[in-house]
Amino acid sequence: MQLHPIGTLHTPWRSVADCPRNGRQPNPAPLCTAVVLPEFVEGLRSVETFSHLILLYAMDQVTSPELVFTPPFDDTPRGIFATRSPRRPNPIGLSVVALEGIKDDTLMVRYLDCIDGTPLLDIKPYLKTTDCEPDSSMGWLRRRA
Amino acid sequence: MQLHPIGTLHTPWRSVADCPRNGRQPNPAPLCTAVVLPEFVEGLRSVETFSHLILLYAMDQVTSPELVFTPPFDDTPRGIFATRSPRRPNPIGLSVVALEGIKDDTLMVRYLDCIDGTPLLDIKPYLKTTDCEPDSSMGWLRRRA
C-alpha cells in the first residue's frame, strides 16, 4: 500500500528531540496547523461541525524500527506495540486533537506532538461512541501516568 | 511512504457489504483475532498489560476515493474527512478495540468492523490520557447518534 500526503502539519518543534512526550504535555498546548493540499480541500466539508479529530501522519524522520526497547523512565524492555514510540514497522503517527477553527485549507488544532513539516495522511472525525474508553487501563504505563 | 502488513485481521464479515456500520453496532460484539507475522511477534511484549488497543489496517478492498458524498440516512453532502467512510485518499482504517487475550502471535479482540483478511498495519496501546475525549461533540452525526 502506497500512501500519499494530503497536506502538511505545522508545529513549533523543529527536530524529534524538541518534540514533547505527547501532545497534552505542554501547558498551555500551542496552536498548530494542518494545511490541506488544494485537491483535497473539498473533503473538509462538515469537518467544522466536530470538536475533536483524529489525525494520521507519516513519521518520516524515523530511521529503522526497534521491536523491543527499554523506554525512558522505565526499567523493563517493552515491545514497540506496547508503546507509542515512532520507531514502528509502519511509522504512522496518530493524534487526537481539539479543533479550534478552519479557514479555507487550514485547520487550527491543539495537542499535536510531531515535528514541523510532518506529512498529513488522514483526517477522521473523533466519535466518542466508538473512540472513547474512559475505563481503559494504562497498562505498564500506569505507574508513570 | 510504503506500508507493509505486520499481520492479518480475522472477522466474521466476508465482504464490505456484510460489515457492520461500526464495531460497536453488533450486540454482542463477536470475538475477532489479529494474527501477527512471526518477525513482529517480539514487538507484542507488554501489550497484554493494556485493556484497549488502537488497530490500524489497510482497507485494501476500497476502490477510488470519494471526496464528497451523501452518507446513508443523511440528506447533506459531507466531505470524506467528516466521515469514517473507507473511500479515503489514504484508506487506513482505525478501530479502538477491547483486548480479550493474547496467545503467542494471536490477539483476541472485540469491536472490529472490517472484512476478514484485512492487512494489519499497526498496534498501539490506547491511552486514556491522550486518546479519550468524553466531552467531544458528535458533529453532524449528532442527530443520528
Side-chain angles (χ1 to χ4, degrees):
Chain A
M1 187 185 198
Q2 180 69 43
L3 299 179
H4 305 277
I6 61 160
T8 305
L9 299 177
H10 295 288
T11 73
W13 304 292
R14 306 291 169 188
S15 73
V16 173
D18 285 345
C19 292
R21 260 224 316 281
N22 67 64
R24 265 110 174 139
Q25 197 192 353
N27 187 3
L31 200 58
C32 301
T33 60
V35 180
V36 172
L37 289 169
E39 60 266 40
F40 298 113
V41 167
E42 206 186 11
L44 294 176
R45 206 189 289 196
S46 297
V47 168
E48 75 282 355
T49 65
F50 293 94
S51 64
H52 292 75
L53 303 172
I54 299 173
L55 302 187
L56 300 182
Y57 44 88
M59 299 187 288
D60 59 354
Q61 304 277 318
V62 171
T63 52
S64 55
E66 195 175 34
L67 279 187
V68 177
F69 68 103
T70 302
F73 313 107
D74 191 26
D75 52 11
T76 306
R78 309 291 180 181
I80 184 72
F81 302 125
T83 81
R84 297 289 277 259
S85 159
R87 297 185 62 181
R88 326 183 72 76
N90 291 304
I92 303 172
L94 180 162
S95 288
V96 174
V97 299
L99 178 63
E100 303 285 349
I102 301 187
K103 188 164 169 18
D104 304 326
D105 62 353
T106 302
L107 285 68
M108 273 73 70
V109 300
R110 292 190 201 276
Y111 305 142
L112 280 176
D113 59 0
C114 59
I115 67 170
D116 189 44
T118 293
L120 177 63
L121 297 174
D122 199 8
I123 302 167
K124 297 182 194 289
Y126 182 90
L127 304 180
K128 62 183 170 186
T129 48
T130 56
D131 302 325
C132 189
E133 290 288 355
D135 298 327
S136 55
S137 83
M138 290 293 288
W140 68 266
L141 282 160
R142 192 180 60 246
R143 283 167 297 154
R144 301 183 34 211
Chain B
M1 188 185 198
Q2 181 69 44
L3 298 179
H4 305 278
I6 61 161
T8 305
L9 299 177
H10 296 288
T11 74
W13 304 293
R14 305 292 170 189
S15 73
V16 173
D18 285 345
C19 294
R21 261 228 311 285
N22 68 64
R24 265 108 174 142
Q25 199 192 350
N27 186 4
L31 201 59
C32 302
T33 60
V35 180
V36 173
L37 290 169
E39 61 265 41
F40 298 113
V41 167
E42 207 187 10
L44 294 176
R45 205 188 289 196
S46 297
V47 167
E48 75 283 353
T49 66
F50 292 94
S51 64
H52 293 75
L53 304 172
I54 299 173
L55 303 188
L56 300 182
Y57 44 89
M59 299 186 288
D60 59 354
Q61 303 279 318
V62 171
T63 52
S64 55
E66 195 175 33
L67 278 188
V68 176
F69 68 104
T70 301
F73 314 105
D74 191 28
D75 53 10
T76 306
R78 308 291 180 182
I80 185 71
F81 302 126
T83 81
R84 298 289 276 261
S85 159
R87 298 185 63 181
R88 326 182 70 78
N90 292 303
I92 303 171
L94 180 163
S95 288
V96 174
V97 299
L99 178 65
E100 304 285 349
I102 300 186
K103 187 164 168 24
D104 303 326
D105 61 353
T106 302
L107 285 68
M108 274 73 71
V109 300
R110 291 190 201 274
Y111 304 144
L112 279 176
D113 59 0
C114 59
I115 67 171
D116 189 44
T118 294
L120 178 63
L121 298 175
D122 199 9
I123 301 166
K124 298 181 194 289
Y126 182 90
L127 305 179
K128 62 183 170 186
T129 49
T130 55
D131 301 325
C132 190
E133 291 287 355
D135 298 328
S136 56
S137 83
M138 290 293 287
W140 69 266
L141 284 159
R142 190 181 61 247
R143 284 166 297 154
R144 299 184 34 212

